[in-house]
């Protein structure tokens, strides 16, 4: 799961970008984390191809040590700089509405995060829309794609760059844990429910939206952490899908066995 | 015994390939005729798949060069088509039979373009040729091994290439599928397409191929089947591993190249 790996691996990038520039503005963070995202992709490829490791082993190695490095950096410098562990891990989604953009004329046009993440959303949609065929063929059968003259490496790096960007842009508002939860849970839920790629993408998006809304209300009603509640709801939806699919396949198996008895 | 020919469709010159300095192919030098059904024969680990991958430009060459229709690979990509080993992909990938076969059109489609009606017709025609029309909307995770192989073949056909490279298209398929595939390959070669197939069942070699390449890290032989499929050359290719050697020579005697119409 390269997306998961990247979302962990970009942590030191964010910290280093912050320590180096001393600013918490999103663009600096995006650049730092984007760079780490690409470095970790290189590292994974390198370990797999040259180090002869299995691909999941190289992914595991890469993201655990980079994430650990990030956590060490944060705890080492927490005292000196205004960057706390809680904030990076859990985000500060509750403060998002307060961090608004105020135009020169004095008009408040709403939270900054909405514009940043909205722009990322549009870019990701455009990327997946335009590159859908290339992304599908290079994920399914990279060697065949190369034989057609489609560069599997290029599309892999593009995909990873977009995963890094999305991760990093979301980091500031929602924190590492929610990013990881939302990278994995909705996609895993969709993978259980359908075998069609386009339907899968659609279900994953809907699940993500429902988890966010559901988590918001859950957090209000129990007066708990918003990020935690959203991750919990995403987990619950996955659990429901899992139970549903299990009971359905069992039902199908019964029907087929009955049919074969009749036949 | 390496038969070189004039105006070859594929010319391989002094090819050597290694994986991390471990040599896998040594000094392979051969030329292959157009419009023939060609078998690549050799024991496991002989470098058969590696040879195909080198021709397709999927791995770096240590030395030598390969020309196709007298040109380097880059200039003739659209004329050649590759069928990888079936196990090389994840068949649980969420996609349908139709979509996989459509991948054969991506080389021509280019970036950002959607498939046109003519592309869809070519895909349906390719599915028809392998007898998989009825399965076009199936998810690939729901196919049997033989059906998966047919889908891979249909995808290659959809490229409408002149030269086809196939890695073990008969591995793990049922007898009916094998027969259907062989007939398809024959009809392709009748239309002057060159078809190069990695194969490892010695029993059927003489019946299937016009020309064979015997490979075991180095090239043992390349030539017309009548001259190349001999006990001596097979012994040289398989070394001590070929305990069935006497059986094979019996086999060669018995059906000494049955009429292949
Ligand atoms: N990616 C790889 N890395 C290292 N060694 C490899 C790789 N692929 C194949 N080999 C080795 O190269 C040799 C030839 O492999 P291959 O071309 O797959 O043989 P064949 O297809 O004839 O069975 C084998 O010894 C195999 O172990
Ligand atoms: Mg092989």
């Amino acid at each position: 799961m390269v997306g998961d790996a990247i979302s962990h691996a970009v942590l030191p990038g964010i910290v280093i970008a912050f320590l180096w520039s001393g600013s918490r503005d999103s663009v600096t963070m995006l650049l730092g984390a984007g760079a780490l995202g690409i470095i970790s992709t290189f590292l994974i490829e390198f370990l797999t191809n040259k180090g002869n490791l299995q691909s999941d082993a190289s992914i595991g190695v890469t993201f655990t040590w980079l994430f650990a490095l990030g956590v060490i950096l944060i705890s080492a410098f927490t005292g000196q700089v205004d960057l706390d562990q809680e904030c990076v891990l859990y985000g500060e989604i509750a403060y998002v509405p307060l961090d608004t953009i105020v135009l020169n004329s004095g008009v408040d046009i709403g939270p900054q995060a909405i514009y940043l993440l909205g722009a990322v959303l549009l870019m990701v949609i455009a990327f997946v829309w335009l590159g859908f065929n290339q992304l599908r063929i290079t994920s399914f059968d990279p060697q065949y794609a190369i034989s057609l003259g489609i560069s599997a490496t290029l599309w892999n790096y593009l995909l990873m760059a977009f995963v890094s960007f999305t991760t990093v842009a979301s980091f500031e508002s929602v924190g590492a844990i929610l990013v990881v939860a939302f990278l994995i849970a909705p996609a895993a839920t969709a993978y259980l429910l359908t075998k069609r790629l386009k339907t899968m993408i659609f279900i994953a998006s809907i699940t993500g939206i429902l988890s966010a809304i559901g988590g918001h209300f859950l957090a209000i009603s129990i007066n708990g952490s918003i990020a935690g509640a959203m991750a919990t709801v995403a987990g619950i939806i996955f659990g429901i899908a899992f139970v549903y699919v299990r009971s359905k396949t069992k039902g199908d198996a019964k029907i087929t066995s009955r049919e074969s008895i009749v036949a | 015994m390496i038969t070189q020919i004039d105006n070859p469709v594929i010319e391989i010159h002094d090819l050597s390939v290694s994986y991390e300095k471990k040599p896998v192919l040594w000094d392979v030098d051969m030329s292959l005729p157009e419009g023939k059904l060609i078998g690549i024969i050799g024991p496991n680990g002989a470098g058969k798949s590696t040879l195909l991958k080198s021709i397709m430009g999927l791995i770096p060459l240590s030395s030598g060069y390969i020309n196709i229709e007298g040109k380097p690979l880059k200039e003739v990509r659209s004329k050649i088509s590759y069928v990888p080993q079936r196990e090389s992909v994840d068949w649980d990938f969420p996609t349908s039979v139709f979509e996989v076969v459509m991948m054969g059109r991506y080389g021509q489609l280019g970036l950002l373009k959607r498939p046109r009606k003519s592309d869809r017709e070519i895909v349906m025609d390719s599915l028809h040729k392998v007898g998989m029309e009825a399965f076009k909307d199936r998810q690939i995770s729901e196919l049997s091994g033989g059906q998966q192989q047919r889908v891979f073949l249909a995808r290659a056909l959809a490229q409408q290439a002149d030269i086809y490279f196939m890695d073990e298209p008969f591995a793990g398929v049922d007898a009916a599928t094998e027969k259907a595939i062989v007939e398809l390959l024959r009809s392709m070669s009748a239309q002057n397409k060159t078809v190069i197939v990695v194969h490892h069942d010695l029993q059927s070699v003489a019946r299937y191929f016009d020309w064979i390449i015997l490979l075991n890290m180095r090239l043992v032989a390349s030539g017309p089947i009548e001259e190349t499929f001999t006990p001596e050359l097979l012994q040289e290719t398989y070394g001590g591993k070929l305990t069935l050697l006497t059986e094979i020579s019996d086999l060669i005697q018995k059906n000494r190249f049955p009429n292949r119409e």
Side-chain angles (χ1 to χ4, degrees):
Chain A
M1 179 82 210
V2 182
D4 184 16
I6 301 247
S7 62
H8 283 77
V10 295
L11 186 60
I14 295 183
V15 180
I16 293 168
F18 173 70
L19 290 174
W20 184 56
S21 71
S23 100
R24 279 179 63 181
D25 95 85
S26 320
V27 179
T28 319
M29 300 260 186
L30 266 172
L31 291 179
L36 249 288
I38 291 179
I39 289 173
S40 56
T41 312
F42 269 111
L43 211 56
I44 292 169
E45 293 260 314
F46 178 81
L47 290 175
T48 313
N49 295 337
K50 301 276 182 255
N52 253 341
L53 277 180
Q54 298 227 302
S55 71
D56 24 358
S58 23
I59 291 172
V61 167
T62 305
F63 89 80
T64 40
W65 83 261
L66 281 174
F67 188 67
L69 178 68
V71 173
I72 292 171
L73 283 176
I74 295 176
S75 33
F77 292 99
T78 322
Q80 300 155 36
V81 293
D82 175 27
L83 184 75
D84 69 304
Q85 206 163 334
E86 294 276 301
C87 160
V88 174
L89 291 181
Y90 304 108
E92 40 184 75
I93 194 166
Y95 302 127
V96 164
L98 306 178
D99 187 10
T100 59
I101 300 178
V102 180
L103 298 180
N104 288 339
S105 57
V107 181
D108 187 336
I109 58 169
Q112 191 194 340
I114 290 200
Y115 291 93
L116 177 66
L117 292 177
V120 171
L121 175 66
L122 290 181
M123 271 166 51
V124 170
I125 290 176
F127 172 63
V128 174
W129 180 271
L130 295 175
F132 193 77
N133 287 344
Q134 281 78 6
L135 287 169
R136 173 161 57 197
I137 192 173
T138 52
S139 319
F140 172 61
D141 194 347
Q143 302 237 300
Y144 182 73
I146 298 169
S147 83
L148 294 177
I150 298 171
S151 169
T153 318
L154 172 72
W155 284 94
N156 187 31
Y157 282 129
L158 278 176
L159 180 60
M160 289 313 131
F162 270 88
V163 173
S164 314
F165 268 133
T166 311
T167 307
V168 174
S170 320
F171 240 118
E172 220 202 358
S173 337
V174 300
I177 291 187
L178 199 52
V179 169
V180 175
F182 270 56
L183 270 177
I184 296 175
T189 307
Y191 192 82
L192 285 177
L193 293 177
T194 178
K195 286 179 178 153
R196 288 173 194 279
L197 190 53
K198 284 180 184 163
T199 320
M200 202 173 281
I201 293 173
F202 183 74
I203 293 181
S205 310
I206 297 290
T207 311
I209 293 170
L210 288 180
S211 310
I213 296 175
H216 175 77
F217 286 110
L218 177 66
I220 289 176
S221 69
I222 62 172
N223 197 16
S225 143
I226 299 181
M230 287 181 177
T232 308
V233 172
I236 291 173
I237 296 182
F238 174 80
I240 294 171
F242 185 77
V243 171
Y244 169 74
V245 169
R246 282 312 276 297
S247 63
K248 207 179 84 174
T249 45
K250 265 200 204 126
D252 285 355
K254 264 189 215 129
I255 293 171
T256 34
S257 61
R258 207 180 305 139
E259 274 171 0
S260 56
I261 291 167
V262 172
Chain B
M1 206 222 56
I2 296 159
T3 310
Q4 303 283 1
I5 54 164
D6 294 332
N7 301 320
V9 65
I10 294 158
E11 183 197 353
I12 299 180
H13 187 76
D14 280 346
L15 173 76
S16 298
V17 177
S18 2
Y19 290 110
E20 292 112 34
K21 305 210 176 78
K22 184 186 121 201
V24 174
L25 290 178
W26 264 115
D27 222 4
V28 173
D29 202 287
M30 64 183 170
S31 46
L32 299 174
E34 192 180 9
K36 296 275 190 270
L37 196 42
I38 301 172
I40 303 180
I41 321 290
N44 273 335
K48 304 182 294 295
S49 300
T50 304
L51 179 61
L52 288 200
K53 286 180 189 167
S54 330
I55 300 174
M56 298 308 299
L58 301 176
I59 46 177
L61 314 182
S62 306
S63 72
Y65 65 83
I66 297 161
N67 277 346
I68 296 169
E69 295 182 349
K71 297 186 189 113
L73 173 71
K74 260 185 266 156
E75 294 171 34
V76 287
R77 260 198 213 284
S78 65
K79 293 190 178 169
I80 63 177
S81 171
Y82 175 49
V83 180
Q85 254 168 297
R86 188 160 51 88
E87 308 87 74
S88 67
V89 303
D90 173 12
W91 287 94
D92 281 328
F93 190 86
T95 190
S96 72
V97 166
F98 186 87
E99 286 162 353
V100 170
V101 179
M102 184 59 88
M103 289 175 188
R105 305 299 305 156
Y106 286 4
Q108 272 86 349
L109 271 182
L111 196 61
L112 314 183
K113 295 229 185 67
R114 302 280 139 182
R116 281 171 308 216
K117 186 155 170 273
S118 60
D119 294 310
R120 284 200 193 86
E121 282 164 7
I122 291 168
V123 168
M124 285 316 293
D125 186 50
S126 308
L127 281 169
H128 173 73
K129 284 188 182 138
V130 300
M132 287 288 288
E133 277 165 309
F135 294 84
K136 79 176 176 65
D137 293 321
R138 274 283 176 95
Q139 292 299 298
I140 58 168
S141 53
E142 296 163 352
L143 301 177
S144 72
Q147 291 168 336
Q148 292 173 347
Q149 194 63 61
R150 287 169 190 241
V151 170
F152 259 21
L153 279 176
R155 181 176 72 170
L157 292 177
Q159 279 181 255
Q160 302 194 315
D162 295 335
I163 309 169
Y164 293 79
F165 297 91
M166 307 183 176
D167 205 340
E168 310 238 7
F170 303 118
V173 307
D174 51 291
T177 300
E178 175 152 349
K179 189 154 175 284
I181 295 177
V182 171
E183 270 163 27
L184 178 67
L185 301 188
R186 291 229 159 280
S187 74
M188 286 161 72
S189 107
Q191 291 161 30
N192 210 32
K193 311 263 188 198
T194 308
V195 184
I196 297 158
V197 178
V198 173
H199 189 57
H200 66 206
D201 176 24
L202 289 174
Q203 305 278 334
S204 49
V205 168
R207 269 181 291 131
Y208 289 175
F209 300 109
D210 307 317
W211 182 289
I212 54 172
I213 297 164
L214 293 173
L215 190 71
N216 192 352
M217 292 181 69
R218 57 182 198 84
L219 183 65
V220 175
S222 162
I225 182 101
E226 296 82 0
E227 295 160 26
T228 319
F229 194 60
T230 65
E232 297 75 35
L233 288 172
L234 286 172
Q235 172 76 67
E236 206 184 324
T237 312
Y238 284 82
K241 286 187 209 159
L242 197 70
T243 45
L244 323 149
L245 200 67
T246 44
E247 286 175 43
I248 291 294
S249 68
D250 282 354
L251 192 77
I252 295 170
Q253 295 306 325
K254 221 182 318 169
N255 46 1
R256 181 103 204 157
F257 314 111
N259 36 346
R260 278 180 278 122
E261 62 279 25

